[in-house]
Amino acid sequence: MCQLMGMNANTPTDVMFSFAGLATRATEHKDGFGIAFFEDKGVRLFVDPESALHSPVADLVKRYPIKSSHVIAHIRKATQGQVRLQNTHPFVRELWGRYWVFAHNGDLKDFNPRLHGSFRPVGDTDSERAFCWLMQELAKAHASVPTVDELTHTLAELLPQPARHGTFNCLLGNGQALWAHCSTHLHWLERKHPFGAAHLADEDLSVDFGALTSPGDRVAIVATQPLTRGEDWTAFGAGELRVFVGGASSGYG
């Protein structure tokens, strides 16, 4: 399966440590990678159809301490769609004057919704098709710009629909919040004061967050599988939706 990672924080934070752990999983997930960093209303998007283990773009991300409050990353193992740049997650669209970023882990069978608005796939993946449908339905559901709570309620109604067609673990963000939906495998973690040391699960690398943070900092991490050892990761339940704002989490469903 593909590997997902999301970060949501109450202050701009770099994800060099977490992304280094995610990238090591590209041994089995070699069909491209991507990562999106929100910065105010803008998005820095890095995507490459090459494996994250060998991509110069991935090396740049590992070494460049981009600070963001909202990050979505994806390591691809292709199921539908060729290994091409246009099929590389995360995908980005604009709605209500904001960029929306989406990444999906899973495989949807016979999910061919009618797309009649301005959201159309560029590639040929089930993931981008589901994202376009989701943006279309969000736009239809709200006559004006909704709050995060209103969006969460709407997403709780929409996300189970593509999930009926297969595995639909996904991350969705708009720079205000990060939404995570689980079909099968997804885990989350909150880091807050008192911060301690963390050790990557797949690489001999550790970091002391206590030396790098302030007492008021709060960071939430979402990943397909726990990225670190010795931290209190929590597994999502099947069909669970969680929203992360300011590094704090609340569940829905």
Side-chain angles (χ1 to χ4, degrees):
M1 74 177 78
C2 301
Q3 297 287 306
L4 298 170
M5 186 194 78
M7 186 274 285
N8 174 268
N10 66 350
T11 188
T13 303
D14 76 69
V15 293
M16 295 168 65
F17 177 72
S18 295
F19 182 74
L22 183 72
T24 61
R25 298 179 178 176
T27 301
E28 297 181 6
H29 307 82
K30 57 182 174 30
D31 299 324
F33 89 95
I35 185 167
F37 301 83
F38 281 93
E39 186 175 319
D40 191 16
K41 288 189 176 182
V43 172
R44 296 177 188 258
L45 178 66
F46 300 85
V47 290
D48 195 338
E50 298 296 324
S51 166
L53 288 178
H54 309 297
S55 167
V57 180
D59 288 340
L60 169 67
V61 174
K62 291 176 189 176
R63 301 174 190 276
Y64 184 13
I66 300 171
K67 292 195 173 183
S68 172
S69 299
H70 307 268
V71 177
I72 292 177
H74 183 272
I75 302 289
R76 188 178 184 219
K77 185 175 182 180
T79 53
Q80 296 187 39
Q82 296 179 319
V83 180
R84 292 185 175 177
L85 186 62
Q86 62 264 36
N87 289 330
T88 306
H89 308 220
F91 302 106
V92 179
R93 294 292 190 278
E94 179 275 331
L95 178 60
W96 297 310
R98 279 191 173 272
Y99 287 117
W100 290 72
V101 175
F102 174 87
H104 166 228
N105 159 24
D107 189 15
L108 302 178
K109 302 296 186 184
D110 301 319
F111 183 67
N112 296 296
R114 183 181 179 187
L115 299 176
H116 50 75
S118 59
F119 303 103
R120 300 295 179 93
V122 176
D124 55 356
T125 65
D126 54 332
S127 305
E128 189 184 18
R129 188 161 56 249
F131 179 37
C132 289
W133 173 81
L134 194 59
M135 290 292 94
Q136 172 181 280
E137 297 306 302
L138 282 176
K140 288 165 55 179
H142 298 280
S144 59
V145 180
T147 66
V148 169
D149 284 343
E150 290 170 335
L151 285 166
T152 303
H153 285 287
T154 304
L155 288 168
E157 296 176 355
L158 294 175
L159 291 168
Q161 297 183 50
R164 297 189 191 106
H165 292 261
T167 305
F168 196 59
N169 305 302
C170 67
L171 299 177
L172 176 71
N174 68 349
Q176 296 175 304
L178 172 70
W179 290 270
H181 177 268
C182 176
S183 285
T184 53
H185 300 291
L186 212 55
H187 297 75
W188 64 279
L189 164 75
E190 283 187 12
R191 293 186 180 126
K192 57 186 177 180
H193 184 76
F195 293 90
H199 309 272
L200 288 180
D202 303 302
E203 189 173 346
D204 186 15
L205 184 65
S206 62
V207 64
D208 180 7
F209 287 111
L212 303 172
T213 55
S214 301
D217 291 348
R218 184 186 290 265
V219 180
I221 303 289
V222 182
T224 301
Q225 297 294 342
L227 294 170
T228 58
R229 293 179 281 108
E231 292 192 288
D232 190 18
W233 290 88
T234 301
F236 280 67
E240 183 177 0
L241 170 66
R242 300 196 74 84
V243 58
F244 299 84
V245 178
S249 166
S250 58
Y252 194 101

